[in-house]
């Protein structure tokens, strides 16, 4: 009798033990190398087959497959899209950490939060955790300063240096300001607009669905800024006022989380003028809400943000991003949230009626 109870406990314990060993929690508050992030992407698709699919949409210069997670409920209808890319600049390690955090948050939320569920019904999130994979890997393995920024394509016409600044290579006032034609420069814009395979991948994928995208968020560090189009000082977005209004509200939301100040404006107004950015290109395609997030900090640690700041940085940026996304969603689907509320109300009534009957 005693022996059999003891045995049962032992069996139970070993089952519990095995489960723990099998499912080690992914640590969202550490920096992960490319292999770990690739495995994590596969795990997300495996754990949430109802809402997550992996989409391959291009190759890097070194022939790695560029992938994104498409996240949304399968409604069988044409849906709107939200674009988020991270890691276009290799050394900005907090950006891929943010994309992973973002994915985890929305995947947790939609099961219990009706607003998130409605958003996932109306829209798909397209999240690229690391766009510049070659550069990211180089910054982990090969660069002792760890400050590599560009992609890894070799310079043309005898230039000995490597790498094009992908965020100067898009077809948006390309080559006009805030760039260098010198392939050794950190802001080398490439030999022609969209010369780089990574910029081509985004241009093709987003460009072929540009009417579906409501929002284009590209995540960088550092500086605590929300940048709106355009980087060129002589061009103004037609919806500049609305972009600023929503951006300033997002900065307020961010500040409420951990008290951090984010500054909102165009690049020339709050940072420096530039050309060829993916944000400007997306806005020129007609995608209305395009923002660059420059995450923490303001220069104390710069690109080498300590791991103990990953969590607060992601928490505040998530609220800021969700403010923009919620605004865009409500604007496009006015009435959609109301419909859900009505559905919920009907359901509650039904429950009440059932309870009454039971009494
Ligand atoms: C980067 O490091 C890896 C692993 O140590 C090595 O195989 C590769 O050749 C290096 N690449 C460059 C460009 O130095
Ligand atoms: C912007 O416009 C001004 C006035 O026309 C001109 O002088 C300046 O060169 C322009 N800037 C750029 C970067 O094209
Ligand atoms: C944020 O900015 C405000 C006004 O510019 C300033 O008073 C405050 O000290 C800043 N807070 C932080 C945390 O930098
Ligand atoms: Zn950057």
């Amino acid at each position: 009798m005693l022996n059999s109870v003891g045995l049962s406990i032992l069996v139970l314990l070993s089952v519990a033990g095995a489960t723990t060993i099998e499912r080690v929690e992914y640590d969202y508050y550490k920096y992960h190398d490319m292999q770990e992030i690739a495995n994590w992407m596969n795990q997300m698709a495996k754990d949430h087959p109802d809402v997550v699919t992996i989409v391959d949409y291009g190759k890097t210069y070194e022939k790695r497959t560029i992938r994104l997670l498409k996240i949304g409920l399968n409604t069988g209808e044409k849906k709107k899209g939200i674009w988020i890319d991270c890691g276009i600049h290799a050394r900005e390690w907090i950006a891929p950490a943010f994309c992973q955090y973002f994915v985890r948050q929305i995947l947790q939320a939609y099961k219990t939060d009706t607003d998130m569920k409605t958003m996932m019904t109306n829209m798909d999130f397209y999240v690229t955790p690391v766009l510049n994979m070659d550069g990211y890997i180089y910054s982990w393995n090969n660069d002792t300063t760890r400050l590599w920024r560009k992609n890894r394509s070799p310079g043309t016409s005898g230039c000995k240096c490597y790498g094009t600044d992908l965020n100067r290579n898009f077809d948006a006032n390309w080559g006009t300001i805030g760039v260098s034609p010198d392939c050794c420069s950190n802001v080398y814009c490439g030999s022609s607009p969209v010369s780089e395979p990574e910029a081509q991948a985004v241009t093709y994928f987003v460009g072929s669905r540009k009417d579906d995208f409501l929002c284009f968020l590209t995540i960088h560090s550092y500086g605590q800024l929300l940048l709106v189009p355009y980087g060129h000082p002589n061009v103004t977005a037609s919806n500049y006022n609305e972009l600023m209004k929503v951006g300033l509200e997002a900065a307020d939301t961010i500040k409420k989380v951990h008290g951090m100040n984010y500054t909102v404006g165009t690049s020339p107004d709050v940072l420096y003028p530039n050309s060829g950015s993916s944000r400007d290109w997306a806005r020129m395609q007609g995608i209305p809400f395009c923002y660059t997030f420059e995450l923490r900090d303001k220069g104390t640690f710069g690109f080498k943000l300590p791991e103990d700041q990953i969590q607060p940085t992601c928490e505040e940026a998530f609220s800021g991003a969700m403010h923009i996304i919620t605004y865009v969603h409500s604007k496009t689907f006015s009435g959609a949230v109301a419909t859900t509320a009505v559905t919920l109300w009907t359901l509650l009534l039904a429950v009440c009626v059932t309870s009454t009957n039971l009494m």
Side-chain angles (χ1 to χ4, degrees), residues 219 237 301 323:
I219 315 299
F301 297 103
H323 177 82

Side-chain angles (χ1 to χ4, degrees), residues 88-89 92 149 167 219-222 294 303:
I88 191 172
H89 285 146
E92 299 165 7
R149 166 182 169 94
N167 208 34
I219 315 299
H220 291 246
S221 73
Y222 59 90
E294 296 284 357
F303 300 115

Side-chain angles (χ1 to χ4, degrees), residues 224 255 258-261 298:
Q224 297 177 203
K255 188 160 192 174
H258 294 295
M260 295 313 264
N261 279 341
K298 287 187 167 181

Side-chain angles (χ1 to χ4, degrees), residues 53-121:
T53 45
I54 296 182
V55 181
D56 296 346
Y57 67 101
K59 295 260 189 229
T60 66
Y61 177 80
E62 292 173 350
K63 301 284 178 255
R64 294 185 174 90
T65 301
I66 305 173
R67 324 184 86 186
L68 60 76
L69 295 175
K70 180 181 173 188
I71 303 169
L73 289 156
N74 192 351
T75 60
E77 315 224 335
K78 199 164 154 64
K79 293 169 71 179
K80 292 294 183 185
I82 303 289
W83 176 270
I84 304 180
D85 69 76
C86 294
I88 191 172
H89 285 146
R91 62 194 175 185
E92 299 165 7
W93 287 8
I94 186 64
F98 172 77
C99 265
Q100 294 167 77
Y101 177 88
F102 182 90
V103 165
R104 191 211 26 193
Q105 291 309 105
I106 62 171
L107 286 176
Q108 276 179 1
Y110 89 96
K111 290 187 176 141
T112 50
D113 181 325
T114 47
D115 288 349
M116 181 58 83
K117 191 166 183 188
T118 307
M119 285 198 233
M120 282 211 198
T121 307

Side-chain angles (χ1 to χ4, degrees), residues 138 141-142 152:
Y138 189 82
N141 294 344
N142 303 81
R152 288 296 301 164

Side-chain angles (χ1 to χ4, degrees), residues 175-329:
T176 55
I177 191 164
V179 297
S180 170
D182 173 4
C183 91
C184 297
S185 161
N186 249 342
V187 289
Y188 173 54
C189 57
S191 54
S192 60
V194 213
S195 56
E196 303 308 300
E198 297 86 355
Q200 285 162 18
V202 174
T203 297
Y204 179 73
F205 188 86
V206 176
S208 60
R209 300 162 176 76
K210 58 188 178 188
D211 296 336
D212 299 341
F213 281 107
L214 300 171
C215 183
F216 186 101
L217 306 181
T218 178
I219 315 299
H220 291 246
S221 73
Y222 59 90
Q224 297 177 203
L225 310 169
L226 292 182
L227 303 175
V228 305
Y230 284 98
H232 195 290
N234 292 5
V235 194
T236 304
S238 57
N239 62 339
Y240 170 83
N241 289 337
E242 193 178 13
L243 282 165
M244 284 299 289
K245 177 182 95 82
V246 177
L248 287 165
E249 289 166 2
D252 276 349
T253 312
I254 289 172
K255 188 160 192 174
K256 287 200 183 99
V257 181
H258 294 295
M260 295 313 264
N261 279 341
Y262 271 62
T263 306
V264 187
T266 65
S267 267
D269 285 350
V270 302
L271 187 59
Y272 43 64
N274 64 14
S275 55
S277 72
S278 65
R279 176 206 60 232
D280 284 1
W281 171 81
R283 185 65 197 84
M284 286 167 82
Q285 298 308 299
I287 299 171
F289 292 91
C290 304
Y291 293 88
T292 304
F293 278 59
E294 296 284 357
L295 303 177
R296 290 192 194 186
D297 54 13
K298 287 187 167 181
T300 308
F301 297 103
F303 300 115
K304 296 182 179 176
L305 192 70
E307 288 185 324
D308 64 8
Q309 289 199 44
I310 295 176
Q311 181 170 3
T313 304
C314 289
E315 286 169 351
E316 66 200 14
F318 181 78
S319 337
M322 282 319 299
H323 177 82
I324 296 169
I325 293 164
T326 307
Y327 177 90
V328 169
H329 177 262

